[in-house]
Amino acid sequence: MDADPLPPLGAYDPETLDQAFSALREEVETSARALAGPELFRLRWLGRKQGRLKLLSDAWLKEAPPEARRTVGQRFNELKAAIEQTLHALEQQGDASALLGESIDISLPGTAPRLGAEHPLMRTMQDMVQVFERMGYSVASGPEVETDFYNFEALNFPPGHPARDTQDTLVLANQERKPARERLLMRTHTSTVQIRTMESQPPPVRVVIPGKVHRNDESDATHSPVFHQIEGLCVGTDITFADLKGTLDHAMRAFFGPAVRTRFFPSFFPFTEPSADVQISCPFCGGRGCRKCKHSGWIELLGCGMVHPEVFRAVAGKQPAYDPARVSGFAFGMGVDRIAMMKYGITDIGLLYSGDARFLEQFR
Ligand code: PHE
């Protein structure tokens, strides 16, 4: 819409003004009908640079002789009010016809948003963590790329200790120039965060650590180089092996059902002494024997033990309250993938890492 410049008014007597302004009022009405929509109308009349009102003000108001300014200004304001009113009406009309124009067929099915599903691993991890939260544990985490110190040395695996071999560690390249304890690797267990937690706070500690771990394992139906653990650590004064047994026994019943029993076997970990492996009675067959428990009635689920004095010594430099003569504690670690597979009847661990929506959709 081009803006025709307004001719000068010429005279400022009431008659001329009457004529000029009523012509403008008519023009407002016609353009409200002629222009397609409120926005064009607004531009035509109220546009800041080329709007008619601006041109009008330039040509008539500013040029008016001093004695006519008041009356021209008044008319100018009236016209402006009329324009704004018309614009408002146009806008409301637009809204109303937009509503009417959109015909709604209420018999059509709705558009269902595609719902995501919580990954079975994350759900299992969350459920298990919650069991411990209800017992007063808090949740901690740590880095997956770790130093040799946190993954091994502080946990009482000295350099060259044969127990390191059982962990099939993936190490980062180009670390040879660093001192051994600073070399980086992918953490092989969440026990690293035991050390990090104790370094950052004095006892008492009750913490669970869910997280991803890595080992140089060949993939097959039950092994994956990436898997998940939940670590637990409880440190205070007078924490005993009976507390460890009671805690795990309760946690297993809370997670798998009240009929589940636990049993403890001697085992070995460098960072616990004594150490134990824990089995639960098969939650699927009640211990009578089935495919899931390989007909033994029992399922091995976790490793645990009393925190080794050397572990306390490793953190006592930073937190002197971890004096092995004064504090005691227990730790445990379980594999989440195995628990999730058991719980949901998944036979191939690879499915948990495949990112296949057809697999994940089943857990909605
Ligand atoms: N970190 C051990 C593992 O990965 C499990 C464990 C944790 C054992 C805590 C004892 C105490 O095998």
Side-chain angles (χ1 to χ4, degrees):
M1 180 93 17
D2 42 45
D4 344 315
L6 284 162
L9 247 193
Y12 284 87
D13 57 285
E15 238 169 275
T16 314
L17 288 178
D18 273 349
Q19 249 178 22
F21 275 90
S22 59
L24 280 169
R25 290 289 275 270
E26 248 169 66
E27 200 188 318
V28 169
E29 296 296 312
T30 359
S31 70
R33 269 173 271 126
L35 294 173
E39 183 52 18
L40 285 179
F41 177 84
R42 192 190 63 75
L43 276 174
R44 166 93 176 155
W45 288 98
L46 302 173
R48 273 221 241 136
K49 284 192 185 141
Q50 294 292 305
R52 301 282 280 165
L53 209 59
K54 164 75 165 64
L55 299 174
L56 180 70
S57 143
D58 288 347
W60 294 2
L61 188 57
K62 286 187 186 143
E63 300 298 321
E67 66 280 6
R69 252 187 216 157
R70 234 176 87 99
T71 30
V72 181
Q74 225 164 27
R75 305 231 181 203
F76 183 87
N77 284 339
E78 282 164 16
L79 180 68
K80 187 176 178 194
I83 293 169
E84 280 169 350
Q85 216 177 6
T86 309
L87 176 63
H88 186 66
L90 284 177
E91 282 168 349
Q92 284 197 325
Q93 258 175 36
D95 291 350
S97 61
L99 274 180
L100 287 174
E102 184 186 322
S103 57
I104 297 169
D105 181 349
I106 57 164
S107 68
L108 280 174
T111 13
R114 268 176 60 91
L115 270 191
E118 196 176 16
H119 195 285
L121 260 179
M122 295 303 122
R123 187 184 299 177
T124 305
M125 201 135 90
Q126 233 3 80
D127 289 350
M128 185 64 85
V129 163
Q130 250 170 43
V131 166
F132 287 95
E133 280 180 326
R134 286 197 287 270
M135 287 192 269
Y137 282 68
S138 48
V139 182
S141 61
E144 286 168 42
V145 177
E146 261 297 6
T147 60
D148 184 278
F149 176 77
Y150 286 106
N151 199 79
F152 290 124
E153 214 180 307
L155 288 162
N156 197 31
F157 295 78
H161 192 288
R164 285 178 175 227
D165 298 346
T166 66
Q167 302 254 340
D168 299 313
T169 315
L170 293 161
V171 298
L172 271 71
N174 304 322
Q175 302 289 303
E176 296 76 14
R177 286 176 29 220
K178 293 183 181 170
R181 55 159 58 183
E182 283 167 32
R183 292 184 194 163
L184 297 174
L185 45 81
M186 302 308 293
R187 71 176 176 194
T188 59
H189 52 180
T190 43
S191 303
T192 52
V193 191
Q194 287 188 35
I195 306 299
R196 290 182 172 277
T197 303
M198 288 191 278
E199 280 184 348
S200 70
Q201 65 180 91
V205 161
R206 262 179 300 178
V207 72
V208 279
I209 303 132
K212 195 183 279 177
V213 301
H214 305 252
R215 291 189 195 180
N216 186 19
D217 278 339
E218 206 70 57
S219 300
D220 63 27
T222 55
H223 293 86
S224 159
V226 177
F227 58 104
H228 293 76
Q229 291 186 330
I230 296 174
E231 189 86 8
L233 176 69
C234 170
V235 181
T237 45
D238 305 319
I239 305 287
T240 68
F241 200 89
D243 296 315
L244 170 59
K245 286 189 80 172
T247 300
L248 289 180
D249 192 67
H250 172 82
M252 294 304 112
R253 287 176 206 274
F255 187 84
F256 290 103
V260 159
R261 283 166 297 142
T262 47
R263 62 182 192 183
F264 290 66
F265 291 87
S267 184
F268 174 79
F269 302 100
F271 42 94
T272 46
E273 179 61 33
S275 304
D277 285 329
V278 182
Q279 297 184 348
I280 61 167
S281 61
C282 179
F284 302 101
C285 63
R288 261 171 279 114
C290 65
R291 269 186 55 194
K292 294 205 178 189
C293 60
K294 298 194 188 100
H295 305 284
S296 74
W298 294 90
I299 293 175
E300 185 157 324
L301 221 52
L302 47 87
C304 65
M306 301 307 290
V307 178
H308 197 291
E310 281 303 320
V311 173
F312 288 137
R313 260 177 226 122
V315 295
K318 285 198 178 153
Q319 289 285 352
Y322 290 98
D323 173 356
R326 299 213 172 148
V327 295
S328 58
F330 62 76
F332 56 86
M334 61 187 106
V336 183
D337 304 66
R338 279 193 53 203
I339 298 176
M341 289 169 74
M342 219 167 64
K343 184 160 176 182
Y344 295 110
I346 300 162
T347 47
D348 183 350
I349 193 173
L351 285 168
L352 294 173
Y353 300 97
S354 64
D356 188 334
R358 292 166 305 176
F359 167 71
L360 296 173
E361 265 166 1
Q362 301 172 60
F363 300 94
R364 272 216 286 264

